[in-house]
Amino acid sequence: MSAGATTVQAAAPQAGAPRGAASAAVPNAEATGRRVEEVLDRLAQRDDREASAAAEELVRVLMDFYGAGLARIMHLLGSGTDDGGPRSALLGDDLVTSLLVLHDLHPEDTAARIGRALDSVRRQHPAEVAEFDGDTGTLRLRSGDSGCPSTSRQAQQAVEAAVSCFAPEVTSMQWETAGERPEPALLQISRRPPTAATAS
């Protein structure tokens, strides 16, 4: 048995409730470990060391990611929470949120998760939603930071990172400064038409 498969078999979650009605079977640690081992063995039989090493690295990266998520969940459940209770603490955590969104398990819609993202950085980097287009995935944000350009850019990057984590369906973000107004329409000035006196 390969090291990657052993890790998966040891760390994969035990059988639990299916994610949805469409689930045909509930996965378990033994079956998952065996499946991963078979895939890695098939890659090894191709005598492609690079592909085999990449596959094992992929397994390790995913296990680290999910392991960190489970550890964060256990920490939040075991530590003191605010008035919102453990559910609020879990939904307010960026790592837990990313796992829930990844598997379409997050109970909140896009607008609520964008709000959570902005709340998570608002003390340092205030920003408000100007408009979100769900069809294109474009989010327009209004910045409340009037500092120097370099500081403003760092603040925008922090906000964008939070939004990307809480609401990955946002594919692009545009910024406008607080109090910014659309430019007025350009008036077209033409020559004055001739009057009756000048035309005669």
Side-chain angles (χ1 to χ4, degrees), residues 7 44 129 164:
T7 304
V129 175
S164 296

Side-chain angles (χ1 to χ4, degrees), residues 2-98:
S2 63
T6 303
T7 304
V8 172
Q9 196 168 23
Q14 296 295 328
R19 291 199 303 266
S23 299
V26 179
N28 58 57
E30 181 181 0
T32 300
R34 188 164 52 246
R35 179 70 182 275
V36 172
E37 179 185 7
E38 291 172 356
V39 173
L40 293 177
D41 286 344
R42 288 205 305 269
L43 287 173
Q45 290 172 3
R46 291 187 173 190
D47 198 23
D48 189 340
R49 294 183 179 179
E50 185 175 349
S52 180
E56 291 195 9
E57 181 180 2
L58 176 61
V59 170
R60 286 194 297 269
V61 169
L62 289 175
M63 291 306 302
D64 288 344
F65 177 61
Y66 282 98
L70 291 172
R72 186 74 61 85
I73 290 172
M74 295 304 297
H75 170 73
L76 292 172
L77 291 177
S79 61
T81 58
D82 55 18
D83 295 337
R87 183 179 187 273
S88 177
L90 291 173
L91 297 184
D93 185 86
D94 56 352
L95 178 57
V96 176
T97 289
S98 65

Side-chain angles (χ1 to χ4, degrees), residues 121-140:
V121 295
R122 179 162 285 123
R123 288 186 178 180
Q124 295 79 19
H125 314 297
E128 300 293 339
V129 175
E131 182 184 14
F132 175 62
D133 187 340
D135 294 332
T136 63
T138 301
L139 174 65
R140 288 199 304 111

Side-chain angles (χ1 to χ4, degrees), residues 168-191:
E169 58 267 53
V170 175
T171 56
S172 65
M173 285 173 258
Q174 301 171 355
W175 287 90
E176 62 183 46
T177 58
E180 186 178 37
R181 295 289 184 272
E183 295 184 2
L186 180 64
L187 297 177
Q188 298 294 333
I189 302 176
S190 61
R191 295 180 59 187

Side-chain angles (χ1 to χ4, degrees), residues 105 108 126 129 140 148 156 160 178 192:
L105 293 173
E108 296 178 337
V129 175
R140 288 199 304 111
C148 65
Q156 290 178 2
E160 291 170 359
R192 182 178 178 181

